[in-house]
Amino acid sequence: MKKWILFFIVFLSTTLFLCAQDDTYEDIFNQLPHFLTNQEKLLMDDWGKKIIPTQPPSSPVRAVAEFESMSSVLIRYPLGFPVSFVKTLAENCKVITIVANLSTQNSAISSFNGANVNMENCSFMIANTDSYWTRDYGPWFAFDGNNQLCVIDFTYNRPRPADDVIPSQYAIYDTLTSYLMNINQTGGNYMTTGTGIGASTMIAYTENNNNSANVNNMMNSYLGISDYLVLEDPNNTYIDHIDCWGKFLAPDKVLIRSVPTSHAQYNAIEQTAQFFANTQSSYGHPFKVYRVFTPQNQPYTNSLILNNFVYVPIMNSSYDADALAAYRQAMPGYTVVGVLGLSAAPWESTDALHCRTHEIPDRRMLYVNHIPLEENQPLQESYLIDADIISHSQGQIVSDSTLVYFRVNGSNYSSVPLTNISGTHYQALIPSPAMGDTVFYYIHCVDSNNKKANHPLIGYPDPHYFVLSIDQNAPLIVHSPINSVHLNDFPLTLTAEVTDNVLVSNVFLEYYTTDSTQVTSLVMQHIANSDVWTIDFNPSFNEQNYLYYRIKATDNSSPENISYYPINNWIVMQISSDNTEIPVINNKITLKSVYPNPLSLQQNNDFKIEYFSNTSGIITFDLFNIKGQKISTKKVYSSSNQTKTLTFSLDSEKNSISSGVYFIRMSGSGNHISKKLLFIK
C-alpha cells in the first residue's frame, strides 16, 4: 500500500482546508511556491507520521552520484524552464516527462513539436503532481547488493501528496524495486560522491526530530552512505538546500559558491569551503574545492550534470561567463552550457535548473571503482593500478579493450592491459619513468554489451596523475645481533636483510674497537635475487677486546635516505681469547618458506609458514609493514629437530592491511630470520 493511505488522508484534509479559503485545490497547487505556504505549515505536524518503511535493499548498497552514467532525465509538464531546453536535453539524452493525463500529454507533445524537440528521445509518465520540482520529490537511486538499480523513496518534506508518491510511481513506470525510508528528505538537500560519502544541510536532522543516529542509520542502510556530512546552511535562507551553495563534481571534487567580503554570509560560506578542504574524500586526500563567484546570490551551483554535459543556470549578467569558466576549469572535457530561465518562472537563488530536473541512472552502466595513486610517488620499478569493474548489464569484460592509458609529461598516451585477478578485481602495472616526471593515467573498459566506462569518468581530458617525487622512506634493516664470539671465529660472516620501498643502494658495516674510537666503514655485498647483504669480517684485535658495530643502509634517492641498525646505539660484541670462556650461541632456527606469496587478501585471510628449529622453546613470528611497523604477532612452542607449518591468520588485521610489501620475522634462541611477502587486495 506504501503511501496511498496517507496520500488520501492528507489529500482530503488539504482539499477541505484550501476550499475553505475560497480557492480550488487545482488553482492553489498550480501556484505552489518552493517554500511552505501557511496552509502547508499547518499540515506538517502530522505529515509522514504513519509511514510504514520497507526493509532496506540487500547490502552492500551503493548510492549513485549524479555525475555518473545516466540514461535519461525526469521533468514535469507544465515546465519550469523554457521548452527550448527540452530540445537541448533530447539531443543528448532520453527525456521522461511527467504529465497529469492524456490531455496534458498532448499539450506537451504539441509544445515540444513546436520547439523541434527530438520526439524519438521523449516518453511520458502519467501521474499527478503538485509542482515541477522533480529534484526535490523525485526518486533517489542506488545499486543493491545484487548490482540491481533500485529506487530509494522517502517522505517529501512538503505536505504535497501527489509529489510525495512520485518515487514509487516512477519505480512502477520503470520496473524498478522501490524501498521506503522512514525519514523526511528532499533531493535539493542531498548529494553524494557515489563512493559512500553524502552531504546535506542540518534540516536532514531537524526535520527528523533531531534524531541524527536514526537518520545516519537510514542513509547507510538504504543508500550505503557511511560518511554523512551534515552541515549548517551557510546561506541562511528559508530553504536550507545544499544545491543552493554546493555541488559534488566528482568523488574528490566539490564546487562551493563564493561571495564578496562585504556579503553578509561571507564568513559562513568560507568556513564551509574550508570544511571540505579539510575533509578526506574517498580517494584518501582532502576534497579539491572549486569556487564559483555569486556576488548577487546567483544560483550557479544549482546546475544539472548529464553525462558529459553540464547545464548551468545563467542570469544574463556580466558574471555568467566567469561562472561557466569556473565549471570548465573544474571539469575539463565536459561541455558546459548556460541556460536562461523563463521570465514567468525565473531562476532564483533558492530555486533553479537543478531543482526542476532529475537525472535517471543507466541501470546497465559499466562501473569502475578505483582509488587513484597518491599524488607524490617515490621512484620504483612500476606502479600498481587496482580497480574493480562491474558490468551492471551482466556483460563480459572485453579484455583487449580494458586498459590503463598513461603518458609521461607531455608525451602521447600508451597503454597497458588490465588483467583480471579474481572476480571483478583487475590490476595493471605502469612502468616507471624518471625522477621528477609526472605520470598521467586513466582507466578505460568495455563490456560485451558495448557499455563503456572510464575512470575518471571523463577519461583522458582530466586524467589522474602522480609525480615521481623525492623518496622520504629510508631502508628497513633486519639483523640478528652477535654479542660475543671467540677470537678464532674470525673471519666472521655477518648478514643483514635490507629492503626499501624503492631500491637499496648500499649497505655498510661500521665498527670501532676499544683500542680505537675511529669508525671504520666496510661495504657489504649483495646476494643476487635476494634482500640479503653479507660481509666476511676480519678486523685486528688484541687478545681480549670489545668491538662496537652497526649496519648502515642507503637508498638511491637524491638526497639519499639513511637508516641504521640499531637506530641510535651500537651493538657491543665481546671478543674472547683462548683463556676466556667462550659463550655458547644458538642460531639453529630456519625460516624455510612462506606461501602463498603473493597473497590475495580478497581470496584468503591467511598464509602458511614452514620453519625448522633444533632447540626447544618459544618461537615468535612478527609481521611488519615496509615502514617497520609491527602488524601482528604469533607465538608457538617448538621442540628440537622439528620442521613444522604454522597458519598465520589475518582475520582481525585484514581491513587495516593494504596492498604492498611486508616482512615476516622468525625469532628464537636469540636469533632472527626474515622473509618478504607481497599482499594484494
Side-chain angles (χ1 to χ4, degrees):
M1 293 294 289
K2 198 175 180 290
K3 302 179 182 177
W4 292 107
I5 295 175
L6 178 65
F7 173 93
F8 177 77
I9 294 171
V10 175
F11 176 85
L12 182 62
S13 61
T14 304
T15 302
L16 293 173
F17 184 91
L18 294 176
C19 287
Q21 309 304 309
D22 296 325
D23 283 310
T24 67
Y25 173 82
E26 181 178 358
D27 288 339
I28 288 293
F29 275 92
N30 279 338
Q31 302 175 49
L32 282 173
H34 210 195
F35 54 82
L36 282 168
T37 65
N38 289 331
Q39 295 93 329
E40 288 177 321
K41 290 177 182 177
L42 298 175
L43 302 173
M44 283 303 295
D45 284 346
D46 294 326
W47 180 245
K49 292 295 188 293
K50 297 181 180 180
I51 293 298
I52 300 175
T54 67
Q55 290 295 315
S58 58
S59 62
V61 187
R62 188 185 73 83
V64 183
E66 63 181 274
F67 45 75
E68 294 186 44
S69 178
M70 297 293 150
S71 65
S72 51
V73 60
L74 183 68
I75 62 175
R76 177 267 211 183
Y77 187 90
L79 303 171
F81 44 77
V83 68
S84 59
F85 184 52
V86 181
K87 180 179 185 297
T88 300
L89 292 172
E91 289 172 353
N92 305 302
C93 191
K94 301 287 186 181
V95 178
I96 302 171
T97 305
I98 305 173
V99 292
N101 47 49
L102 289 176
S103 176
T104 308
Q105 178 176 322
N106 290 334
S107 296
I109 292 172
S110 177
S111 176
F112 292 178
N113 281 328
N116 294 318
V117 173
N118 179 7
M119 297 305 294
E120 290 186 359
N121 277 348
C122 292
S123 59
F124 296 89
M125 170 181 157
I126 296 179
N128 287 319
T129 54
D130 300 316
S131 65
Y132 52 57
W133 290 293
T134 55
R135 170 70 50 188
D136 289 349
Y137 58 72
W140 294 358
F141 295 95
F143 283 103
D144 64 19
N146 297 314
N147 292 326
Q148 298 297 307
L149 186 68
C150 56
V151 165
I152 306 301
D153 197 358
F154 51 89
T155 299
Y156 181 32
N157 72 339
R158 298 281 187 271
R160 299 176 182 178
D163 287 347
D164 186 47
V165 296
I166 288 297
S168 57
Q169 288 181 303
Y170 180 82
I172 296 170
Y173 168 83
D174 205 12
T175 62
L176 296 172
T177 303
S178 179
Y179 299 92
L180 176 61
M181 299 186 288
N182 189 18
I183 54 175
N184 290 345
Q185 281 283 20
T186 179
N189 192 40
Y190 162 71
M191 62 183 187
T192 179
T193 63
T195 55
I197 297 176
S200 298
T201 71
M202 199 59 71
I203 62 170
Y205 291 158
T206 59
E207 293 184 342
N208 290 284
N209 300 316
N210 286 308
N211 191 339
S212 59
N214 180 61
V215 173
N216 291 347
N217 179 63
M218 290 282 182
M219 296 297 286
N220 188 21
S221 299
Y222 288 81
L223 289 157
I225 302 296
S226 56
D227 192 1
Y228 194 27
L229 310 176
V230 179
L231 301 87
E232 294 288 349
D233 178 28
N235 281 357
N236 194 30
T237 59
Y238 74 89
I239 199 163
D240 284 351
H241 282 192
I242 202 166
D243 62 2
C244 297
W245 52 262
K247 189 178 192 69
F248 285 139
L249 307 178
D252 65 337
K253 292 182 180 181
V254 63
L255 181 72
I256 305 293
R257 70 178 292 217
S258 67
V259 295
T261 55
S262 58
H263 194 286
Q265 299 307 119
Y266 172 79
N267 288 335
I269 292 170
E270 291 307 301
Q271 289 171 6
T272 301
Q274 192 59 48
F275 168 84
F276 280 101
N278 295 333
T279 299
Q280 291 288 98
S281 72
S282 54
Y283 285 173
H285 57 246
F287 280 99
K288 299 173 184 176
V289 179
Y290 297 87
R291 311 301 299 274
V292 59
F293 192 47
T294 60
Q296 298 163 350
N297 299 324
Q298 293 93 332
Y300 294 137
T301 60
N302 205 288
S303 60
L304 171 68
I305 302 174
L306 205 55
N307 297 321
N308 294 344
F309 290 83
V310 185
Y311 301 104
V312 182
I314 55 176
M315 309 297 287
N316 203 17
S317 78
S318 59
Y319 297 102
D320 291 346
D322 286 344
L324 299 180
Y327 274 92
R328 293 182 181 116
Q329 178 186 9
M331 306 178 75
Y334 286 80
T335 300
V336 179
V337 180
V339 181
L340 285 168
L342 285 168
S343 57
W347 305 138
E348 301 175 14
S349 61
T350 56
D351 170 25
L353 178 58
H354 188 253
C355 300
R356 307 177 194 185
T357 57
H358 199 309
E359 66 287 334
I360 306 296
D362 179 4
R363 68 172 76 195
R364 292 163 58 84
M365 73 169 68
L366 185 59
Y367 176 70
V368 182
N369 182 31
H370 167 64
I371 303 299
L373 297 185
E374 293 183 8
E375 184 174 325
N376 293 304
Q377 292 288 322
L379 182 64
Q380 54 194 51
E381 293 181 359
S382 59
Y383 298 87
L384 181 66
I385 305 298
D386 268 300
D388 284 291
I389 304 175
I390 300 172
S391 173
H392 289 289
S393 69
Q394 305 300 314
Q396 298 296 314
I397 304 302
V398 180
S399 58
D400 58 0
S401 298
T402 299
L403 308 164
V404 175
Y405 287 90
F406 70 96
R407 64 180 174 88
V408 179
N409 301 327
S411 64
N412 294 327
Y413 274 102
S414 301
S415 66
V416 291
L418 269 166
T419 302
N420 182 245
I421 302 302
S422 63
T424 62
H425 188 209
Y426 288 74
Q427 288 185 339
L429 290 173
I430 296 178
S432 177
M435 183 68 73
D437 284 341
T438 301
V439 179
F440 301 89
Y441 76 94
Y442 68 96
I443 294 170
H444 176 74
C445 53
V446 180
D447 71 13
S448 57
N449 293 314
N450 202 33
K451 290 292 183 179
K452 300 176 182 179
N454 296 316
H455 200 294
L457 287 165
I458 195 64
Y460 72 88
D462 188 24
H464 302 302
Y465 71 92
F466 58 90
V467 180
L468 275 65
S469 58
I470 296 174
D471 175 20
Q472 297 181 343
N473 294 325
L476 174 67
I477 304 171
V478 178
H479 170 66
S480 299
I482 298 179
N483 302 111
S484 58
V485 297
H486 192 269
L487 191 60
N488 295 334
D489 289 335
F490 290 95
L492 181 69
T493 300
L494 294 179
T495 62
E497 187 172 14
V498 186
T499 54
D500 188 62
N501 60 320
V502 181
L503 186 66
V504 178
S505 177
N506 288 292
V507 179
F508 304 93
L509 174 67
E510 296 186 340
Y511 74 95
Y512 67 93
T513 68
T514 51
D515 290 344
S516 173
T517 57
Q518 181 176 348
V519 175
T520 301
S521 181
L522 303 174
V523 178
M524 300 182 72
Q525 301 300 311
H526 182 219
I527 298 178
N529 301 318
S530 74
D531 297 319
V532 177
W533 296 71
T534 186
I535 187 171
D536 290 329
F537 182 42
N538 193 17
S540 298
F541 295 104
N542 294 327
E543 287 189 357
Q544 177 90 25
N545 219 324
Y546 286 94
L547 179 140
Y548 302 82
Y549 80 95
R550 66 182 181 184
I551 296 171
K552 172 185 175 182
T554 63
D555 60 17
N556 67 340
S557 64
S558 181
E560 64 185 9
N561 295 299
I562 302 173
S563 59
Y564 293 94
Y565 183 92
I567 296 174
N568 298 315
N569 300 304
W570 295 75
I571 299 168
V572 181
M573 180 190 295
Q574 181 182 0
I575 313 299
S576 305
S577 66
D578 289 338
N579 298 323
T580 307
E581 182 181 354
I582 302 173
V584 176
I585 305 173
N586 276 323
N587 55 351
K588 301 296 185 180
I589 60 173
T590 303
L591 182 53
K592 302 180 74 172
S593 64
V594 181
Y595 59 93
N597 190 9
L599 171 68
S600 174
L601 293 174
Q602 288 193 335
Q603 297 178 320
N604 203 350
N605 290 347
D606 53 61
F607 58 91
K608 297 185 183 299
I609 302 170
E610 186 179 7
Y611 65 96
F612 170 80
S613 172
N614 77 344
T615 62
S616 298
I618 298 296
I619 303 293
T620 302
F621 296 92
D622 295 310
L623 179 66
F624 295 89
N625 63 21
I626 199 167
K627 296 180 180 179
Q629 298 167 324
K630 187 183 293 186
I631 306 299
S632 184
T633 296
K634 312 291 181 188
K635 293 186 177 182
V636 297
Y637 181 83
S638 179
S639 301
S640 61
N641 295 318
Q642 281 193 337
T643 296
K644 285 191 172 183
T645 300
L646 167 71
T647 298
F648 201 113
S649 176
L650 297 173
D651 287 339
S652 59
E653 298 88 354
K654 181 178 178 180
N655 292 334
S656 63
I657 293 177
S658 58
S659 297
V661 175
Y662 292 78
F663 300 91
I664 189 73
R665 184 176 71 180
M666 176 182 179
S667 303
S669 301
N671 295 274
H672 309 281
I673 304 173
S674 299
K675 282 191 179 293
K676 181 169 66 175
L677 298 89
L678 178 62
F679 290 158
I680 300 172
K681 272 200 160 182

